[in-house]
Amino acid sequence: NILNKKGFDVYLETIEQDNLIDFININEIAVILVRSATQVRKNIIDNCQSLKIIGRGGVGMDNIDVEYAKSKGIFVINTPAASSNSVAELVFSHLFSGSRFLFDSNRNMPIEGEKKFKTLKKNYSKGIELKNKNLGIIGLGKIGREVARIGFGLGMNILGFDKFIKEKSINIIPNNQNAFTFKINLISFDEILKTSDFLTLHVPAQSN
């Protein structure tokens, strides 16, 4: 509504990938905003002269030829902090679910709980606590650091690896807390694989 009032035409419909070039050219689209499904590759950049901005509604930009677009004078933007907390919480949803067999037990108990209660109870009682376990975080950007904050709060030992960070350690400030910081010692890739009880990756799909 704000853009419309300022004289911009805003198209909200979903455009199939094969029809994207024609749609952009027919409507002289200057700004395209995509999520993860739409691919903005060299062919679109070369064939759509009206494009000035490519926006990604998310963090990773693996679906966009970023450097090529920039070389053509097109601005490429994303929302680097928009999903950090949501993704970090999802990480721990999976960790809790896996360590406590929640996915399996929530399905088997209602079906076979009466007949096999003792067996199932014995199986599911083998769950483990996250406290004092080693959580290895590969990639310490905004999402990785948010994962570290939650892990610290649960009493986990945080291990870190990030090939782009040259320091031997980094400090993490808990949300809304300025009185203290947590320190993460960065270790080698091989070491983090050997010593982690749980491992979570937060790197681009094309990272080497």
Side-chain angles (χ1 to χ4, degrees):
N1 290 336
I2 294 173
L3 289 170
N4 284 331
K5 290 177 181 178
K6 294 293 183 178
F8 290 90
D9 294 322
V10 181
Y11 300 89
L12 300 178
E13 56 263 46
T14 299
I15 309 302
E16 295 296 330
Q17 184 76 43
D18 293 340
N19 301 327
L20 196 55
I21 291 177
D22 288 340
F23 182 87
I24 291 172
N25 289 332
I26 290 171
N27 295 284
E28 298 183 342
I29 300 296
V31 181
I32 181 173
L33 303 177
V34 302
R35 295 298 299 272
S36 57
T38 304
Q39 303 290 311
V40 186
R41 300 302 181 192
K42 184 176 181 290
N43 65 319
I44 292 177
I45 296 168
D46 285 340
N47 289 289
C48 299
Q49 300 303 313
S50 62
L51 274 183
K52 294 180 174 61
I53 299 175
I54 301 170
R56 163 76 167 95
V59 180
M61 295 194 287
D62 304 318
N63 55 320
I64 302 170
D65 287 341
V66 177
E67 295 305 320
Y68 187 75
K70 289 180 178 179
S71 74
K72 296 295 183 177
I74 298 174
F75 290 100
V76 183
I77 57 176
N78 66 341
T79 54
S83 61
S84 300
N85 190 66
S86 295
V87 175
E89 288 185 3
L90 183 61
V91 167
F92 284 92
S93 297
H94 287 302
L95 288 177
F96 280 120
S97 180
S99 64
R100 295 291 181 174
F101 310 107
L102 297 183
F103 182 86
D104 193 64
S105 62
N106 283 341
R107 280 151 181 77
N108 287 331
M109 274 296 190
I111 297 173
E112 301 183 285
E114 290 187 22
K115 297 179 181 179
K116 300 180 180 180
F117 179 76
K118 290 185 178 180
T119 300
L120 293 176
K121 179 183 177 183
K122 184 177 180 180
N123 290 339
Y124 300 142
S125 66
K126 297 176 182 178
I128 58 175
E129 295 181 352
L130 299 185
K131 185 178 181 179
N132 294 325
K133 298 299 188 299
N134 293 335
L135 175 62
I137 303 175
I138 296 179
L140 286 159
K142 289 181 174 62
I143 294 175
R145 295 183 188 218
E146 193 63 39
V147 171
R149 289 188 183 96
I150 298 175
F152 277 125
L154 291 171
M156 302 186 79
N157 304 314
I158 306 300
L159 311 174
F161 169 80
D162 192 311
K163 69 176 185 178
F164 297 108
I165 299 177
K166 303 306 180 184
E167 293 80 9
K168 293 184 178 180
S169 65
I170 60 173
N171 292 323
I172 301 293
I173 302 174
N175 289 331
N176 303 319
Q177 299 287 337
N178 296 317
F180 59 92
T181 61
F182 293 114
K183 183 178 180 181
I184 299 178
N185 292 318
L186 303 184
I187 57 180
S188 70
F189 183 76
D190 289 337
E191 189 176 359
I192 203 170
L193 294 182
K194 291 178 182 178
T195 55
S196 297
D197 296 302
F198 301 96
L199 198 63
T200 178
L201 285 75
H202 303 286
V203 296
Q206 297 177 349
S207 178
N208 295 320

